Amino acid sequence: MKKILIYLVYSSCIPLLSCTKVVNVDLQTADPKLVIDASIDWVKGTTGNEQTIKLSTTTGYYSPTFPTVSGADITITNSAGAVFNFKENPGTGEYTCSDFRPVIGESYTLKVVLNGEVYTATETCTGVPDIEDIIAQDNGGGFGGDEIEITYYYRDNGNEVNYYLHRIQSPVSAFPEYKAQDDENSQGNLMQEYFSDKDLKAGDAINIRLYGISKRYYDYFRKLLAASGAGNGPFQTAPGAVRGNIVNQTHFDNFAYGYFRLSEVDVKDYTIR
């Protein structure tokens, strides 16, 4: 199964059997660009009042970390004019709010003011169905019939067009696995999603998260999956940068990476038997 990182910029390597040493190519590094991670997640069963927005910048290909960004003024405003302020935990690039009020179907506008420039984005908070309590396990699953496979279910709302983001974390992978999905062929039906891995074993804990997302975020995330290499051959041309819905109102061309998203989230934990 392919594993991806949401904020993978560009990293792909092709193993060559004849290589005997690592060669670091002297790559040109572009000027750093702002990255705004404004993912507002309202986990079912919580108030959703505590939220965090993270600011960082892009960096060189070989850098193991992303520099954080301090000194921004960040607010989110709903359609009724209520303003929610995000304050930085000093020096971390993490801006938190403890009184946010998520409402399904409500429209929100993000505003980030940094170094005299104003970045904005508008998005609607999207609901999500419950993951069914019954999760099926097949010890002879996977493409080759030799993997432990689990199947979970959720009921699509047949009265509207829906888009979903799946996130599965398991101990056999360093990073979560993601998948974006629509209900085009499953309108109003009981939908199902699979996860399997040859290294899964009894006792492994699986964390499943199902997000409701907008059509625009669905399209954005599919492009992000392509940019990360999911579904691409190793010799295909690297895609260009994937831009989200955040606009620099001061200097349009000086855009920020990242996306402003508001999702209801259902969470299920499952232990392999």
Side-chain angles (χ1 to χ4, degrees), residues 3-264:
K3 310 298 189 294
I4 64 153
L5 279 170
I6 286 185
Y7 291 108
L8 180 64
V9 181
Y10 306 108
S11 63
S12 63
C13 58
I14 304 170
L16 302 177
L17 295 179
S18 59
C19 287
T20 58
K21 67 177 181 179
V22 175
V23 177
N24 288 329
V25 180
D26 185 14
L27 300 175
Q28 291 184 347
T29 300
D31 292 336
K33 295 193 72 68
L34 179 64
V35 179
I36 301 176
D37 176 8
S39 298
I40 304 300
D41 295 335
W42 180 15
V43 177
K44 286 176 180 279
T46 72
T47 62
N49 61 307
E50 295 189 3
Q51 299 293 339
T52 300
I53 292 174
K54 300 177 182 179
L55 301 189
S56 61
T57 67
T58 57
T59 188
Y61 183 90
Y62 295 111
S63 176
T65 60
F66 290 90
T68 58
V69 175
S70 296
D73 181 13
I74 302 179
T75 60
I76 294 179
T77 306
N78 68 14
S79 61
V83 179
F84 307 100
N85 293 289
F86 286 72
K87 300 298 183 182
E88 185 187 11
N89 182 8
T92 66
E94 295 188 354
Y95 299 75
T96 60
C97 175
S98 60
D99 62 351
F100 190 77
R101 297 196 302 271
V103 177
I104 302 302
E106 176 68 276
S107 178
Y108 296 84
T109 297
L110 169 73
K111 181 179 180 181
V112 177
V113 181
L114 179 67
N115 298 329
E117 301 197 341
V118 179
Y119 303 82
T120 66
T122 299
E123 185 63 290
T124 299
C125 185
T126 307
V128 76
D130 294 336
I131 300 172
E132 299 288 319
D133 289 333
I134 298 177
I135 297 179
Q137 177 176 325
D138 180 4
N139 290 344
F143 291 112
D146 57 352
E147 299 179 358
I148 293 179
E149 178 179 85
I150 63 170
T151 306
Y152 60 93
Y153 306 87
Y154 56 100
R155 175 70 64 178
D156 179 69
N157 184 349
N159 297 320
E160 60 188 23
V161 177
N162 300 108
Y163 301 89
Y164 304 105
L165 177 66
H166 301 262
R167 175 189 184 277
I168 300 179
Q169 177 73 67
S170 73
V172 299
S173 175
F175 306 112
E177 180 170 313
Y178 293 88
K179 178 181 180 182
Q181 186 177 28
D182 63 31
D183 66 353
E184 181 178 358
N185 299 315
S186 304
Q187 189 65 260
N189 294 336
L190 183 66
M191 300 180 70
Q192 60 188 27
E193 188 59 38
Y194 305 92
F195 173 74
S196 67
D197 195 287
K198 63 181 178 60
D199 294 323
L200 284 175
K201 62 184 182 303
D204 283 346
I206 310 298
N207 179 259
I208 303 167
R209 291 181 174 243
L210 178 65
Y211 302 75
I213 58 175
S214 66
K215 171 64 163 60
R216 188 176 177 184
Y217 185 79
Y218 169 82
D219 292 337
Y220 163 80
F221 198 83
R222 285 172 62 86
K223 292 177 183 177
L224 202 62
L225 287 175
S228 74
N232 291 341
F235 301 104
Q236 290 182 306
T237 302
V242 181
R243 294 175 59 171
N245 62 344
I246 301 171
V247 177
N248 186 331
Q249 301 291 350
T250 308
H251 299 102
F252 180 80
D253 291 336
N254 187 28
F255 62 89
Y257 290 116
Y259 203 98
F260 176 45
R261 171 182 61 77
L262 301 101
S263 297
E264 186 180 33

